[in-house]
Amino acid sequence: REGGDPLQTPDVLGTKARNLLFESVRQFSLLSTTVKEVTESQCGTKKFLQQLDDGNMIESVLIPNYKFDRTTLCVSTQVGCDRGCRFCATGKMGLVRNLRPDEIVSQVVHGRRLALDTEGMPQLTNVVYMGMGDAGMNVAAVAESVEALTDHERMQMAQSKVTVSTVGGDPSVFKDIAKMRCSMAWSLHSPLDKKRKRLVPSTRHTTAELRDGLVEALLIRHSRRTRTMMVAVTLIKGLNDGVEDALALAEFIKPIQAVGKVAIDVIPYNDIDAAGSGLVAGDKGGVYRKPSDISLEKFTEVLKKEGCFVCMRKARGDGEDAACGMLATKRKERA
């Protein structure tokens, strides 16, 4: 729970109990992932590569916030992803397999240990399911892992500190997530169907159908406080960063705002060429680029004038391919 090793922490267990535990687990590891490599960005963000028992690899990211004395861990839910988002390195991998609940929780234990072992890093306080894969495509395992994180007898995390994000492959997935003890996030990227289809080729439903499914899901939660959620949009220069896009987004989320509080998470595109997946070509052969600072400012100002609560995501860890959309593993190793 605290990230320490009970076999190495005398205050946690007595000698007899520690010896019994050691005899029980000495033939195998307590955790189902093994940290193989840790890289650190200048901002203090740490990405750690982990090997699974079948040789596949996943990545998780620790993001410290020194101003507010907290650290957020971004966990993966799949090896690869089949959503095919054009701006995401993980999507270029395709789906290898879903992670098990223990493989998701294992990332949190490693993250807590790494935060404890890093001088000056605030303790791990938040977990976001925004790493490799789409949590909505691995609902059963995600639900079990969230239960473990928020269980008072296990990891003891508050519901408000655990956020599960999905692209929304189907309107019904929002109800599955709404039943979990977590905050919710929707990776929308554009409310306009033609643009969203270009950004998320796996889309099979209109944005209105998905939004209506989300609203129904939020109403399952009796308290308006637990209906607070995030809507994420990755902005790409000349594609979805215009004033008209901001106005469409502000209008689109009104039905969601009617039942709960919405925070719009604006994410400037991160160049994923550095992540080893090659340049991301647009429909006409162009290359996706980060919007200008002026475009980002206009976009957020329009949303604010329309009464929206906006968070501008600052790139963290992009120098080590650890920022949003940059996670991807390239090899499968045998233990």
Side-chain angles (χ1 to χ4, degrees), residues 129 141-151 162 164 180-182:
Y129 286 65
V142 167
E144 193 171 336
S145 68
V146 169
E147 179 68 21
L149 296 187
T150 57
D151 187 348
V162 178
V164 175
M180 303 178 196
R181 290 191 299 215
C182 67

Side-chain angles (χ1 to χ4, degrees), residues 177-282:
I177 298 175
K179 295 174 184 177
M180 303 178 196
R181 290 191 299 215
C182 67
S183 297
M184 299 174 63
W186 180 20
S187 295
L188 174 62
H189 305 305
S190 176
L192 306 174
D193 287 320
K194 288 185 178 180
K195 289 189 178 184
R196 190 171 199 265
K197 183 69 174 179
R198 287 169 61 183
L199 293 168
V200 188
S202 59
T203 296
R204 295 293 179 268
H205 298 270
T206 66
T207 55
E209 289 172 339
L210 292 170
R211 179 196 59 199
D212 293 346
L214 172 60
V215 170
E216 289 182 15
L218 288 173
L219 290 173
I220 293 175
R221 300 183 165 191
H222 300 298
S223 169
R224 188 179 178 88
R225 181 178 59 83
T226 61
R227 296 179 198 158
T228 298
M229 68 161 301
M230 180 188 300
V231 174
V233 287
T234 298
L235 295 189
I236 297 171
K237 182 179 181 180
L239 200 162
N240 63 341
D241 64 338
V243 170
E244 67 280 5
D245 294 290
L247 288 170
L249 178 58
E251 181 66 26
F252 178 80
I253 66 169
K254 285 182 179 179
I256 310 174
Q257 291 173 317
V259 299
K261 182 179 178 180
V262 180
I264 299 178
D265 189 22
V266 176
I267 309 169
Y269 169 70
N270 290 303
D271 184 359
I272 63 174
D273 182 44
S277 61
L279 289 174
V280 182

Side-chain angles (χ1 to χ4, degrees), residues 14-324:
T15 301
K16 184 177 180 180
R18 192 162 61 253
N19 289 340
L20 286 172
L21 179 61
F22 177 77
E23 289 299 320
S24 299
V25 305
R26 64 176 177 164
Q27 299 299 324
F28 57 90
S29 173
L30 282 171
L31 298 175
S32 49
T33 67
T34 302
V35 176
K36 305 295 287 186
E37 183 180 48
V38 179
T39 57
E40 183 174 1
S41 298
Q42 290 184 343
C43 64
T45 296
K46 286 194 172 186
K47 179 174 73 171
F48 51 106
L49 179 72
Q50 296 146 92
Q51 183 176 330
L52 308 177
D53 53 17
D54 63 359
N56 281 302
M57 312 291 279
I58 58 171
E59 292 180 321
S60 309
V61 182
L62 273 175
I63 309 165
N65 187 319
Y66 299 103
K67 180 179 179 180
F68 294 104
D69 193 34
R70 68 186 182 215
T71 294
T72 297
L73 174 67
C74 182
V75 299
S76 295
T77 57
Q78 297 176 305
V79 182
C81 183
D82 65 356
R83 298 296 83 196
C85 298
R86 297 282 179 85
F87 48 85
C88 179
T90 310
K92 297 297 175 181
M93 294 176 59
L95 178 63
V96 178
R97 72 168 175 87
N98 287 331
L99 294 185
R100 303 189 307 265
D102 57 295
E103 292 171 328
I104 299 173
V105 175
S106 180
Q107 297 172 65
V108 180
V109 177
H110 282 307
R112 282 187 167 175
R113 289 181 179 177
L114 187 56
L116 283 172
D117 292 341
T118 303
E119 184 177 358
M121 179 176 284
Q123 69 177 25
L124 196 160
T125 53
N126 298 61
V127 173
V128 293
Y129 286 65
M130 300 179 183
M132 295 171 61
D134 187 313
M137 302 303 293
N138 188 16
V139 166
V142 167
E144 193 171 336
S145 68
V146 169
E147 179 68 21
L149 296 187
T150 57
D151 187 348
H152 293 300
E153 298 297 323
R154 288 181 281 178
M155 302 295 278
Q156 296 185 339
M157 296 192 71
Q159 174 175 330
S160 61
K161 303 297 184 182
V162 178
T163 301
V164 175
S165 176
T166 181
V167 168
D170 184 274
S172 64
V173 74
F174 294 116
K175 286 187 178 180
D176 294 327
I177 298 175
K179 295 174 184 177
M180 303 178 196
R181 290 191 299 215
C182 67
S183 297
M184 299 174 63
W186 180 20
S187 295
L188 174 62
H189 305 305
S190 176
L192 306 174
D193 287 320
K194 288 185 178 180
K195 289 189 178 184
R196 190 171 199 265
K197 183 69 174 179
R198 287 169 61 183
L199 293 168
V200 188
S202 59
T203 296
R204 295 293 179 268
H205 298 270
T206 66
T207 55
E209 289 172 339
L210 292 170
R211 179 196 59 199
D212 293 346
L214 172 60
V215 170
E216 289 182 15
L218 288 173
L219 290 173
I220 293 175
R221 300 183 165 191
H222 300 298
S223 169
R224 188 179 178 88
R225 181 178 59 83
T226 61
R227 296 179 198 158
T228 298
M229 68 161 301
M230 180 188 300
V231 174
V233 287
T234 298
L235 295 189
I236 297 171
K237 182 179 181 180
L239 200 162
N240 63 341
D241 64 338
V243 170
E244 67 280 5
D245 294 290
L247 288 170
L249 178 58
E251 181 66 26
F252 178 80
I253 66 169
K254 285 182 179 179
I256 310 174
Q257 291 173 317
V259 299
K261 182 179 178 180
V262 180
I264 299 178
D265 189 22
V266 176
I267 309 169
Y269 169 70
N270 290 303
D271 184 359
I272 63 174
D273 182 44
S277 61
L279 289 174
V280 182
D283 293 341
K284 297 181 180 180
V287 175
Y288 289 168
R289 297 295 187 197
K290 177 181 176 180
S292 67
D293 291 341
I294 294 176
S295 294
L296 290 171
E297 184 177 350
K298 286 183 178 179
F299 192 93
T300 56
E301 284 303 314
V302 169
L303 290 174
K304 291 175 182 177
K305 287 180 180 179
E306 293 295 317
C308 301
F309 180 75
V310 184
C311 300
M312 173 65 74
R313 182 90 66 92
K314 182 180 179 181
R316 297 291 302 275
D318 50 332
E320 297 295 335
D321 300 339
C324 184

